[in-house]
Structure formats: C-alpha cells, structure tokens
Amino acid sequence: MTHPVDFPPPDSAGSARRVFLKQLAAASGSLPLGKALAGGTATALLLQSAEAGAAPSGKPVINTVYGYESFGPDEAAFVEAMLNIMCPADHFTPNGVDCGLAIYIDRQLAGSFGQGARRYAAGPFLQGAAQCGPQLPLTPEQYFKAGIAEADRAAQRLYGQLFDALTPQQGDAFLQQLAAGQVAGEQLDLAEWFNALVYPLFAEACFADPLYGGNVGMVFWKMIGYPGLPATHALDVVQYLGKPYPGAAHPKSIADFS
Amino acid sequence: MKTRASKTVVIVGGGLTAGLIARQLTAKGVDVLVLERGGDHSKGPESSLPNQRDELRWSVRQGLIQDWSRETYTLRHQQNQTALPVRWMESFLPGQGLGGAGNHWNGHLWRWAEYDPQLRSHYQQRYGKQAIPADMPLQDWGVTYAQLEPYHDLFEKLFGVSGQAGNIGGKKLPGGNPFEAPRSGAYPQAPLHVLESGQVFKQACDHLGYHPFPQAAANSSGAYTNPDGQQLGQCQYCGHCERFICEANAKGSPQVLLYPMLRARKSFEVRLNTQVLGLRYDAAGKRATAVHCLDLMTGEEYEQPAEVIVLAAFTMSNTQLLLHSKIGKPYDPVSNTGVVGKNFCYQVNAGVDLFFKDKWFNPFLASGSTQIVIDDFNNDNFDHTGLGFLGGATIQAYQFSGRPIKGRRVPDGTPRWGTAWKQANADWYAHSMSLGIEGSCYPHRGNYLSLDPTYRDAYGRPLIRMTFDFRANEQKMAAFVSGKMMEIARHCGADKVGSLQALVTPFDSRLYQTTHIVGGTIMGETPHDSVVSPHLQHWDAHNLFVVGASVYPHNSGYNPTGPLAALALRLGDDLLRYLQRPGRL
Ligand SMILES: Cc1cc2nc3c(=O)[nH]c(=O)nc-3n(C[C@H](O)[C@H](O)[C@H](O)COP(=O)(O)OP(=O)(O)OC[C@H]3O[C@@H](n4cnc5c(N)ncnc54)[C@H](O)[C@@H]3O)c2cc1C
Ligand code: SF4
C-alpha cells in the first residue's frame, strides 16, 4: 500500500532524487497527464474526488493531481521530502505527497492566501513584541519560499546536503530542531516560519475538505472518525449519546454534494 | 462632496444592535437608514449546504470577518512601547456584513449578575471603600438590572432562547443557575440536549457540591415563532456554528430574525457596502450633523445628514469614529483625564483537556452553545475576602464542534507529526473533552484605546491603538479559578488529564480567545467619567447615541450580548421619546 517512489532508500544519493523530481515537475507542467490538468484546479479536484469514490475498496486512494502552480522544482523537492517525513506512509495513510498535502500547500500559496489577501500590508515594518504577530513585508507565498531557501542553507551547514537529500531520520531530526528554535536562520526566524506558517498549512492540508487538494480520499477524516457532511444531527445527538457514531466510518465531503 | 437628503435616524453599522433599534423605531413608522460596510450573507455559500460546512473557508481563512487589509488595530502592552499593527488578527473576530458578528456568534446568552450595573457600589458595600484598587476605574452604569429586565425578556423571546431558568421572581428553581438575576418568566424554549461531556462534568460538579446548569442559548431547541412572527428551525447540532452562519435558520441571529422583516417595512432602508468614515460635528450646537460615507462599490463619497445618529458599529469602530471625528475628550492615562478610549477590557480564558479511553464524546455532534456551566466562582458570587483580587469566571464543559483542522485534542507529550501523531489523533479525537473558564476583566488605568500615530487604514484614517495587557488582578483571578477547574477535572474520572492551559500573558493577538472586547465609549452618571449617559446619549452631542459592548465600563465573566441587546431595545424606545422632544433624555 505504500508508494516508495517518493522515498529513496536511506542510503541512495539524494541528488539523483532531486533530478528526478525536477524532471517530474517540468514534465507535469507541460505534458497532458490526464484529466487532473485539463480542466483547471477546482474541476480537476472534483473529478479526482469522483474517481476516489469509485476506487475499489481496500486500495488506498492517492493524489492524481500533478503540476505545481507555485513551487519551482527545488521548492517542490523540499516540500515533498518534508511532507513525506511529517506524514510517512503507514497503516493510517499513504505518504504526504500521495495524500495531496503538497498540492494543497502549493494551491494555497498560489491562491489568495499566498498572495496575502485580507492581510494588513502597510509599513513601516518594525520588530517588537511577538504577540503583535509577524511583521514582514512578504506575502505568505514569498515568506514560505524564503524560508525554504534558508532552511536548505541551514541543512547544508549542518549536514552538508540539501534538506531533500537527508535520510528520513536526519530530515525528521532537522525539522524537530527547526520547530524548537535550534536552527538559526540568516535573516528569518526559522522556528517562527515553521511553527506559524508551515505547520498550520500542514494541519490544514491533512484535515481540510478534500475539495482543496489535500486529505485525498478523506483519509485523515476516516483516521479520526470525522463524518463530514451533511452534519444535520438533530436526531443523532440523542441516538448516539455516548455511543460510537456509525457515519464516522463513511465521511462525505463538499464535493460529494456539489 | 455631495450631500444626500436628510434622514430621521441613521444607524452606523448593520449588526445585532442596529437591527434591534430599527425594530423598535420602524414599528412606529420612524424613518431609519442603516449604513453597513459589508454585504448581505443570507443567500450565498456561507449560509447554504454544502459550502457552509467549510472549515477552511469560513473559520480558518475568516471568510465572514473584517477585512484586515482595510482596517486593523495596533497593539502594545504598555504605554511606553511602540505599538505594531496586527496584520492578521486571531484573538477576536469582528463581523462584516448585514447582521454583523450577531450572525456568526455561538449564541450563549447571559443576563449578567444583578449587581453588575452597580459593580463599584456593590464591591464597596461588601468589602469596604479600600477594596477597589486605585488603578481599577470600576464605575456604576447609571441603570439597574430591574430597569433592563423587560428588555432582556423581550430579547430572549425575539431570539427564541433555549434555557433553564434558575430564578423566577426570586424563587430558585432546580436545574437552573442559582446565581441568576431574578427573571420575570421562564426561557421561551426548553434547554438544548445535554451531551456526554456535559454529563461527565455535571456528575463531578454535583459530587463537589457546585451548581451545574445548561447554557442558555440562541440555538433553537425546537421549531419556534417569535412575537414578530419570525421563525426559527430546530438546531441541527451541526458543529458549524461559531464563525459560521446557520444554514438551518436555527440560530437566533439578525439576518434571520430582524433584517428580512425590517426590509419589508416601508420606513426602513439599508445601504450595504457603505463604509462610514467619520461624523460631522457642530461643537457649538453640541450636535452631530451628518455621517461621512464611502460607497465601496462605486467609490462615491457623500454626506448623509440625520436628525439622530446612532453608532452601532462594534467596540473598535464606535471608539474610532468618535476619536477620529474629535467628539469628546480622548482619555489620557497619565493625567487620568478624558474619557474616549477609557476602560478597554477583554476577557480571561483558560482550559484543560480530558481523555477517556472508553467514553464516546463524538465532538462533531454539537451546537455552538452545548455546554454545562457553573457560576459558583464567577464575579462576586463567592467571598473575595483575603483573596487579593476581584472578579471571577464561569467554569464549563464546552463542546461546540469537532471541526478537524482546529478542533482536535491530543494528550501532553504527543509528537507534532509522524505516525505517533496520527495514532494519538485516531485514539483521542472521539474520546476527549475540554473544560474552560471564561472570566471577568476589570478596567485598568493603563488599558485603553487611542489613535495610532503611525499606521493608517485603507481610507487614510489612523488605526485604533490598543494599549492592553492582562494585569495583576486578572492574572490572580485566572490562577484561582483555574485551580477550581483543575480540581473538577480531577474528579471527572478521566484516564488522562492534560496540563493546565493557563491564561496567556502578555495578551497575544495570535490566539483566538473571545470576541468580547468592551469599553472605549463607556456609559456612566457624569460627563466627567463617561462618554455616554445612562440612556446612551453622548454628553457632548445630544442627538448622538452609542450602543454595544463599547459602553460597558467593565467586562463581566459572561458573554456580552444579553445586556447590550437589552440596552439596544431600550434605546429604540428612548429614541421615540427623543424624537418627540429632542434634548437631554
Ligand atoms: C465567533 C464569535 C462568537 C461569539 N459568541 C458569542 C456568544 O456566544 N455570546 C455572546 O453574548 N456574544 C457572542 N459574540 C459577540 C456578539 O456577536 C456581539 O456581542 C454582537 O454581535 C454585538 O452586536 P453589535 O451590533 O454591537 O455588533 P455587530 O453585530 O458586530 O455589528 C456591527 C456591524 O457594524 C459594521 N461596521 C463596523 N464599522 C463600520 C463602519 N465604519 N461603517 C459601516 N459599518 C461598520 C460591521 O460590519 C458589523 O456588521 C461572539 C462573537 C464572535 C465573533
Ligand atoms: S449548531 Fe444549530 S444553531 Fe448553530 S449553526 Fe448548527 S444548526 Fe444552526
């Protein structure tokens, strides 16, 4: 059930993997890799969801959307490696890329969130109390990418390799250090970057409605037992008081009702 | 700039209070114009299936909330710091669009304590003149609970509130809140269902001798028709309530119960997508003459004259409009003079998570108000002698949603990703619950609102600057009530009790706490210590009125909407009198 193509064996050369991913990203941007690319993001995702519903039971449903809108090949390599560490293929879910987590984050960064929609952007940009929130003249997309570049430089400093070339164990240790504020950035606070921007996007990618590209096959909803839609529970609240809720095994997404 | 034809009453902001005032006035045929910066939410994806059930769009990305790129606030904790703009606010979420935050609220409805409007006198009588610290400017409101009671009663009937009365005419009723202010009658509807989390909490509280009761709620426990003939459907326990608009028309909210009715009345007009930028003030005549408007669709600016102007634009906008229009004296904490911006208060919160291997809580089977509460340690419901603080908090087992992006609980020490993280989420999602406290926040001389000297909004006006932190009084109170909460937590029979999630200090704009920000245009008995009179009439402009939580001189340990709704309904009636004989009420 796992898809080892995204995970090189620990001892393989990381650089080969990056070349492979670059090729994939380049190819998927120009080649017709199926319906997913044909009809624009939303339609593609809906189609994917319809297909997901039709998948024979027992076989995990995985992401079929290719072609990044925001990430370049190097950024894709970083993000894919990170997401496969944070979400390894296991008895709960396929790996992060197969769960659509990279597509989710890419689409968020390319869309209104990444472009800083509804966020106050006027200067001056001064540093002060953390409780006021980040004070950066960057959109979330620019910030995300600047952080990848810095984290990659830090990985090279610490391990002599780009992040995506690290073994999963090394990569995991590096992310733990990042999150704990033990990796100094040159210009950015990498802990803040990881905890306030990257981690929330990871959680959203796992648990948002699959409409947005992550949580493919509602695999994370099934994992925890969240039933999704339609959520009209006036009777359930009485009938299942203190008892398991059967609908939790068969969640439904917005796409199932659209 | 063009001037449009004058109106009798112009209300700035089209939220909950505006709808209530307009109800009173248009029933008597008075011309009312409501100016609302947002649009109409009633028929869009935000209020219909399936798109209403979109946690990312409406909750995480704040689809119904004020546009921070246009208007935000700056923050500093102390007066000697430079405030910085909050570029994306999480801690409180003002609404935008017809109905205001009154559409995407939870619907917890409280009447506050009988002594809340006389809080200063109350504390002094009970604990002596020295009880209130010099830097805590508590003050009486100049109105009594008894005067507001009929309006509380009316509001609860209009919004079809579901609850269990605890005190009718002084007679204590089993199952209700024994600390409740005396009511003239029962709630219009039976309380909501008690969830498993509520039962667990209730048992522990009964054992400890406390007094648990179900939260009174503007989530309709049945099908309901209000005195105006407006209808509510039955609550679906859909788990998409706070931050969302009800798709089942079951949440007592202005867009269901007020605006459709108002828009069918001849003397009512609403202009949507209309940003109010300021007021025109005739200082010599002590009158506000007109409102300065910007049509956000066409870019047209115009002046809208009126006989009466009401500010009903929520705490921050109400204060900003007065400061920016230079009406009333701005508060200065150093000289302790002036009033506009004074007594800005927030709310105290803390919590703890509980984990039970064998209990099914099904967190997604919930309404915005399904909680069991105790009031035993709130406000002055317990003896404060020797405690070193004033005020208190409710303690509750709340269960409002199981929305999966933000609504998951895992035990302490769970890794933040990887297989063990997934395991913990799978193990505990349906088998955990939370307790919380929601407490008072009393005014402090150093907590206030003013205009920022540096940062401006999209319309070129200075942003409102918050100078705010939780001070020693609130920190001590939070520690005390949190201790009581942890004691209850240990009596719930959980397999694992999480560690205390204590009140976060310094105040942090990055964490949602509540949207219960109060003060800035406070009410009181004299112009010396308040912006508006007990009738909500501006002391420096007799045809200008201010309504909403901005008039509260302190925040109680409750959600704010009960008294501000009662005050709004009463203001509607007061304005009828005013229009007959303009002058001081
Ligand atoms: C998530 C959430 C949960 C809540 N839960 C509860 C609860 O359970 N119990 C409770 O008691 N309270 C709750 N509240 C608070 C409750 O919503 C408010 O007390 C209530 O809505 C206040 O009514 P109002 O008329 O003062 O403001 P609002 O209803 O917010 O209306 C103000 C209106 O003014 C408009 N406006 C602002 N500035 C301008 C301007 N310059 N020009 C034109 N228009 C303007 C806004 O767009 C808005 O529509 C909650 C709030 C939120 C956000
Ligand atoms: S919980 Fe009830 S009142 Fe709240 S939005 Fe859902 S159906 Fe409406």
Side-chain angles (χ1 to χ4, degrees):
Chain A
M1 83 173 246
T2 61
H3 298 267
V5 62
D6 287 300
F7 251 146
D11 55 346
S12 83
S15 54
R17 185 180 123 73
R18 176 155 276 188
V19 170
F20 166 74
L21 278 162
K22 272 184 190 161
Q23 284 166 347
L24 177 64
S28 61
S30 57
L31 292 177
L33 282 180
K35 290 178 217 159
L37 276 180
T41 313
T43 333
L45 293 172
L46 289 172
L47 282 170
Q48 179 195 339
S49 157
E51 279 169 5
S57 59
K59 235 178 149 199
V61 182
I62 62 164
N63 173 60
T64 56
V65 180
Y66 300 102
Y68 291 118
E69 292 177 1
S70 172
F71 297 142
D74 292 18
E75 291 154 350
F78 183 102
V79 171
E80 292 188 354
M82 176 178 77
L83 292 171
N84 286 344
I85 288 168
M86 296 177 77
C87 175
D90 52 26
H91 60 290
F92 290 112
T93 74
N95 71 34
V97 171
D98 284 344
C99 288
L101 308 188
I103 287 291
Y104 171 88
I105 295 179
D106 174 75
R107 297 299 193 263
Q108 288 297 310
L109 295 178
S112 60
F113 167 76
Q115 306 314 305
R118 299 170 66 240
R119 201 172 278 274
Y120 186 73
F125 295 89
L126 308 171
Q127 293 314 303
Q131 291 81 10
C132 300
Q135 302 289 323
L136 294 170
L138 303 174
T139 63
E141 184 192 38
Q142 291 165 339
Y143 184 27
F144 195 96
K145 294 184 174 213
I148 290 179
E150 281 236 12
D152 246 346
R153 285 197 291 277
Q156 272 184 315
R157 237 177 18 245
L158 294 169
Y159 295 92
Q161 281 179 315
L162 293 176
F163 174 72
D164 73 286
L166 304 182
T167 66
Q169 290 74 17
Q170 286 174 325
D172 187 61
F174 179 72
L175 293 178
Q176 302 286 357
Q177 287 174 292
L178 264 191
Q182 292 157 0
V183 180
E186 292 159 10
Q187 275 183 291
L188 294 178
D189 176 341
L190 282 175
E192 169 73 20
W193 172 76
F194 183 83
N195 293 319
L197 179 65
V198 179
Y199 191 82
L201 281 167
F202 166 69
E204 292 160 19
C206 297
F207 289 104
D209 193 287
L211 185 72
Y212 293 100
N215 191 19
V216 167
M218 290 169 278
V219 62
F220 282 91
W221 287 5
K222 288 177 187 158
M223 176 182 95
I224 60 173
Y226 173 66
L229 278 69
T232 42
H233 293 308
L235 301 176
D236 300 332
V237 75
V238 180
Q239 198 174 348
Y240 298 106
L241 176 69
K243 296 188 196 126
Y245 179 64
H250 315 284
K252 294 222 164 23
S253 109
I254 291 172
D256 293 316
F257 290 81
S258 298
Chain B
M1 198 182 306
K2 261 208 210 133
T3 301
R4 297 218 180 159
S6 184
K7 287 278 178 177
T8 311
V9 176
V10 163
I11 307 182
V12 180
L16 182 129
T17 53
L20 293 171
I21 296 163
R23 174 191 182 271
Q24 303 301 88
L25 291 171
T26 54
K28 300 278 190 256
V30 174
D31 263 353
V32 174
L33 167 64
V34 165
L35 302 168
E36 165 56 43
R37 66 182 171 186
D40 181 353
H41 289 304
S42 60
K43 299 215 166 59
E46 63 273 54
S47 50
S48 40
L49 279 175
N51 289 297
Q52 191 269 357
R53 309 281 202 248
D54 190 338
E55 181 185 13
L56 183 72
R57 185 171 178 182
W58 309 119
S59 173
V60 180
R61 298 279 181 262
Q62 299 187 0
L64 301 169
I65 310 304
Q66 173 167 315
D67 180 343
W68 304 116
S69 71
R70 296 187 177 200
E71 295 171 88
T72 186
Y73 320 113
T74 65
L75 168 66
R76 58 182 183 177
H77 297 112
Q78 307 291 343
Q79 214 208 334
N80 59 9
Q81 297 166 338
T82 302
L84 298 180
V86 178
R87 296 175 181 278
W88 180 265
M89 174 70 85
E90 288 288 347
S91 64
F92 55 87
L93 303 174
Q96 180 157 304
L98 195 59
N103 290 338
H104 64 252
W105 69 323
N106 295 68
H108 307 182
L109 199 76
W110 292 97
R111 290 185 175 198
W112 290 27
E114 189 172 9
Y115 49 76
D116 261 317
Q118 278 72 45
L119 198 62
R120 183 173 192 87
S121 311
H122 169 86
Y123 277 129
Q124 288 186 337
Q125 265 160 29
R126 185 163 177 188
Y127 304 108
K129 285 256 184 270
Q130 311 311 318
I132 301 173
D135 58 6
M136 186 189 285
L138 282 177
Q139 71 187 35
D140 295 356
W141 303 7
V143 59
T144 63
Y145 168 76
Q147 289 166 332
L148 291 181
E149 203 285 334
Y151 293 104
H152 276 295
D153 186 63
L154 173 59
F155 180 65
E156 288 167 4
K157 288 183 173 135
L158 289 176
F159 271 49
V161 176
S162 308
Q164 167 65 54
N167 178 355
I168 297 186
K171 188 166 174 277
K172 299 288 165 85
L173 300 171
N177 178 9
F179 301 96
E180 191 174 34
R183 311 168 51 83
S184 53
Y187 285 98
Q189 297 202 75
L192 294 166
H193 293 299
V194 181
L195 308 180
E196 183 78 359
S197 49
Q199 294 191 348
V200 166
F201 179 73
K202 185 174 180 320
Q203 256 181 11
C205 289
D206 286 343
H207 174 78
L208 291 164
Y210 303 146
H211 302 87
F213 58 93
Q215 173 68 53
N219 308 149
S220 190
S221 60
Y224 180 77
T225 304
N226 83 3
D228 292 338
Q230 304 299 306
Q231 296 182 336
L232 288 171
Q234 183 189 16
C235 174
Q236 295 300 315
Y237 298 81
C238 76
H240 292 73
C241 200
E242 75 287 353
R243 301 177 176 223
F244 295 79
I245 293 186
C246 183
E247 153 281 326
N249 281 0
K251 177 155 57 170
S253 35
Q255 83 154 25
V256 177
L257 297 169
L258 295 170
Y259 288 105
M261 172 184 82
L262 291 170
R263 290 177 97 168
R265 287 183 180 172
K266 273 209 195 63
S267 64
F268 182 78
E269 182 189 349
V270 55
R271 284 186 209 145
L272 299 175
N273 304 301
T274 300
Q275 175 79 37
V276 172
L277 296 174
L279 306 178
R280 300 288 181 242
Y281 179 50
D282 168 9
K286 289 209 159 198
R287 275 175 53 85
T289 54
V291 174
H292 175 192
C293 301
L294 170 65
D295 182 326
L296 293 170
M297 289 299 176
T298 63
E300 185 196 352
E301 278 186 56
Y302 59 91
E303 283 197 7
Q304 176 60 60
E307 283 173 46
V308 168
I309 297 173
V310 181
L311 300 185
F314 198 63
T315 302
M316 301 306 249
S317 292
N318 283 353
T319 307
Q320 182 192 33
L321 286 167
L322 290 183
L323 286 172
H324 183 61
S325 311
K326 300 194 162 49
I327 308 179
K329 192 164 180 232
Y331 171 65
D332 173 9
V334 177
S335 60
N336 205 9
T337 57
V339 284
V340 188
K342 200 176 171 218
N343 286 28
F344 179 64
C345 306
Y346 196 27
Q347 187 131 63
V348 162
N349 280 271
V352 60
D353 296 336
L354 304 177
F355 302 88
F356 300 71
K357 284 196 196 93
D358 301 324
K359 278 195 188 297
W360 289 89
F361 295 106
N362 301 328
F364 43 85
L365 303 180
S367 91
S369 307
T370 29
Q371 64 178 8
I372 301 295
V373 192
I374 62 165
D375 212 15
D376 297 64
F377 298 103
N378 202 2
N379 302 317
D380 196 37
N381 293 348
F382 57 105
D383 187 0
H384 286 73
T385 310
L387 292 179
F389 66 85
L390 295 176
T394 56
I395 304 176
Q396 56 269 351
Y398 66 94
Q399 180 172 330
F400 306 149
S401 100
R403 297 192 298 267
I405 298 174
K406 294 210 162 178
R408 288 169 288 111
R409 285 167 283 253
V410 288
D412 296 346
T414 300
R416 290 173 70 207
W417 59 80
T419 301
W421 169 76
K422 293 183 203 172
Q423 183 78 52
N425 277 284
D427 286 348
W428 297 113
Y429 172 73
H431 301 283
S432 55
M433 59 173 274
S434 298
L435 306 186
I437 74 168
E438 178 173 318
S440 58
C441 182
Y442 289 162
H444 186 277
R445 185 168 164 175
N447 287 342
Y448 69 108
L449 300 176
S450 52
L451 295 179
D452 192 273
T454 306
Y455 294 95
R456 294 182 174 259
D457 67 17
Y459 313 106
R461 302 175 301 173
L463 296 184
I464 279 280
R465 174 176 61 187
M466 299 183 272
T467 303
F468 179 82
D469 202 358
F470 293 109
R471 310 286 173 165
N473 183 72
E474 275 54 50
Q475 296 190 27
K476 285 185 206 160
M477 183 277 283
F480 177 84
V481 185
S482 296
K484 300 290 178 193
M485 174 185 73
M486 292 306 284
E487 182 196 18
I488 300 173
R490 285 188 291 272
H491 281 82
C492 285
D495 295 302
K496 290 176 196 246
V497 177
S499 51
L500 169 68
Q501 296 148 19
L503 172 68
V504 174
T505 55
F507 163 66
D508 197 332
S509 70
R510 298 169 300 175
L511 305 171
Y512 186 73
Q513 291 155 65
T514 68
T515 305
H516 310 158
I517 41 170
V518 315
T521 73
I522 63 178
M523 64 194 289
E525 284 159 335
T526 73
H528 169 72
D529 60 15
S530 56
V531 174
V532 293
S533 76
H535 289 284
L536 309 187
Q537 186 173 32
H538 200 290
W539 291 113
D540 298 322
H542 64 77
N543 70 331
L544 175 62
F545 297 80
V546 188
V547 67
S550 63
V551 307
Y552 292 160
H554 70 274
N555 202 1
S556 190
Y558 300 119
N559 309 55
T561 303
L564 67 84
L567 285 164
L569 286 166
R570 188 181 71 139
L571 176 59
D573 287 356
D574 282 346
L575 288 178
L576 291 170
R577 282 197 296 131
Y578 175 89
L579 286 168
Q580 278 165 5
R581 221 151 58 83
R584 194 132 290 285
L585 281 173

